[in-house]
């Protein structure tokens, strides 16, 4: 999409400089791999020389003051595109929740070892925050906080991201582990409460604008910072309409971000971060 790029490692210093100059709170890293580098167990996610691990080392060496968050999931590294270990049972293929926990814990630990300031588990496996917290604590990284994608819906708005990362599931969908968009607020509260109890340091709702009711229901409920993730499809809607000349991009984007803030988001992940930061400075 216009304005969105997959950066090679050599392009990271430039991005880091821009982020620091704009005064962003930090950056979050996702790995992009060619199909032939993927495997059923997503080994690239927890490889010591994995692309994200190398990116973290590079960034923390050259820009120690830049906050680096690592997305912790397997779907960008598995050849089947699911966020966990796929097994075959009597009813067909399924994602084995508990077999995945160990791999997510290894991924988070390797990201912390590389120097990540924050790990952000996004696989929606039950118990992933607890498994990651234990692995980090045992590994000497008790100080590394967890930003949990606590309330994450099985959303059509992830389409552009999956195309960019080539991480769409090869069969089936993610509705076995991500939340049903039709679910009521009770389910959202339960997901957030579980992650709170498992030791998440920050809670996130994703996508953002279609789930303002969820953000607002979580506001002030946990003694932890609340985040919203304005996802790729939300960016796509705004960008496409702006390019068509149908929306005033600056005003529409800032309005959408103010809405998240009003609903309760204390931090926002958005593909508009650089532009929004610049716009806000001018305002
Ligand atoms: C990995 C992950 C995804 C996104 C963030 N982390 C993809 C997914 O769940 O399919 C989506 C990001 C976006 O759409 O901007 N689990
Ligand atoms: Zn995933």
């Amino acid at each position: 999409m216009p304005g969105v790029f997959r950066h090679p490692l050599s392009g990271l210093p430039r991005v880091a400089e821009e982020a620091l100059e704009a005064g962003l709170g930090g950056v979050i890293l996702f790995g992009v791999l060619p199909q032939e580098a993927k495997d059923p167990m997503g080994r690239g996610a927890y490889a010591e020389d994995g692309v994200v691990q190398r990116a973290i080392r590079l960034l923390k060496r050259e820009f120690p003051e830049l906050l680096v968050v690592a997305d912790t999931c397997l779907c960008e590294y598995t050849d089947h595109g699911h966020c966990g270990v796929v097994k075959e049972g009597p009813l067909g293929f399924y994602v084995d929740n508990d077999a995945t926990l160990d791999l997510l814990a290894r991924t988070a630990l390797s990201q912390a070892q590389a120097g990540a300031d924050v790990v952000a588990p996004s696989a929606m496996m039950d118990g992933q925050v607890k498994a990651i917290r234990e692995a980090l604590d045992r590994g000497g990284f008790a100080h590394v906080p967890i930003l949990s994608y606590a309330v994450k819906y099985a959303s059509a708005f992830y389409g552009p991201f999956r195309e960019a990362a080539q991480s769409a599931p090869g069969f089936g969908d993610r509705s076995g582990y991500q939340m049903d968009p039709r679910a009521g607020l009770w389910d959202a509260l339960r997901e957030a409460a579980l992650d709170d109890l498992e030791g998440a340091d920050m809670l996130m709702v994703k996508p953002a604008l279609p789930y303002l009711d969820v953000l607002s229901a979580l506001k002030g409920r946990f003694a932890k910072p609340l985040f919203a993730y304005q996802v790729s499809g939300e960016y796509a809607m705004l960008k496409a309409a702006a390019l068509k000349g149908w929306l005033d991009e600056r005003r529409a984007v800032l309005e959408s971000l103010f809405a998240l803030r009003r609903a309760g988001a204390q931090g926002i992940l958005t593909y508009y971060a650089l532009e929004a930061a610049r716009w806000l400075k001018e305002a």
Side-chain angles (χ1 to χ4, degrees):
M1 271 187 298
V4 178
F5 305 94
R6 296 176 295 188
H7 299 285
L9 291 178
S10 62
L12 290 186
R14 171 90 205 283
V15 180
E17 274 161 20
E18 283 184 333
L20 285 170
E21 199 182 302
L24 295 190
V27 295
I28 181 163
L29 301 178
F30 299 87
V32 179
L33 260 57
Q35 192 61 30
E36 61 272 18
K38 302 182 185 185
D39 64 58
M41 303 299 275
R43 291 193 167 77
Y46 39 92
E48 209 194 312
D49 64 343
V51 68
V52 163
Q53 285 77 2
R54 291 171 61 198
I56 297 167
R57 283 198 185 89
L58 186 156
L59 285 174
K60 292 312 292 184
R61 190 177 59 233
E62 302 198 14
F63 305 91
E65 70 278 32
L66 178 69
L67 184 106
V68 175
V69 182
D71 181 82
T72 306
C73 199
L74 300 181
C75 54
E76 297 128 64
Y77 312 90
T78 52
D79 54 8
H80 45 70
H82 277 286
C83 303
V85 178
V86 170
K87 292 199 176 151
E88 195 170 4
L91 300 174
F93 292 103
Y94 68 100
V95 172
D96 187 334
N97 187 95
D98 294 0
T100 305
L101 296 180
D102 180 47
L103 301 185
L104 291 171
R106 280 171 68 175
T107 303
L109 183 59
S110 80
Q111 292 166 337
Q113 283 164 345
D117 297 301
V118 178
V119 295
S122 63
M124 284 301 278
M125 295 299 134
D126 293 337
Q128 65 181 13
V129 170
K130 181 166 180 275
I132 288 171
R133 186 70 272 159
E134 283 172 3
L136 291 177
D137 291 355
R138 272 200 310 270
F141 295 95
H143 56 285
V144 171
I146 299 176
L147 165 60
S148 174
Y149 291 68
V151 188
K152 176 174 175 181
Y153 292 88
S155 172
F157 290 102
Y158 307 150
F161 172 97
R162 291 182 191 169
E163 198 184 317
Q166 276 141 21
S167 64
F171 61 89
D173 56 35
R174 301 208 206 290
S175 59
Y177 39 102
Q178 297 182 351
M179 292 169 70
D180 188 330
R182 298 165 296 186
L185 283 177
W186 183 251
D187 297 75
L189 283 170
R190 195 188 51 170
E191 289 287 347
L194 284 170
D195 283 11
D196 178 40
L197 291 171
E198 288 181 29
D201 298 278
M202 296 161 269
L203 301 172
M204 186 150 69
V205 175
K206 175 190 178 190
L209 216 50
Y211 298 90
L212 283 183
D213 57 329
V214 174
L215 265 179
S216 131
L218 296 185
K219 180 179 185 173
R221 248 199 144 87
F222 304 94
K224 297 179 177 175
L226 184 60
F227 282 70
Y229 189 147
Q230 184 176 54
V231 301
S232 58
E234 296 179 76
Y235 175 89
M237 288 197 292
L238 290 159
K239 184 57 94 180
L243 286 174
K244 285 267 190 190
W246 292 340
L247 277 181
D248 176 337
E249 188 173 29
R250 183 180 192 275
R251 284 186 58 203
V253 169
L254 290 180
E255 192 173 327
S256 74
L257 298 177
F258 292 143
L260 304 181
R261 176 74 176 153
R262 194 177 61 244
Q266 293 158 293
I268 298 175
L269 276 69
T270 170
Y271 297 90
Y272 270 114
L274 275 177
E275 278 160 293
R278 289 173 189 144
W279 288 330
L280 286 171
K281 266 188 202 161
E282 288 162 15

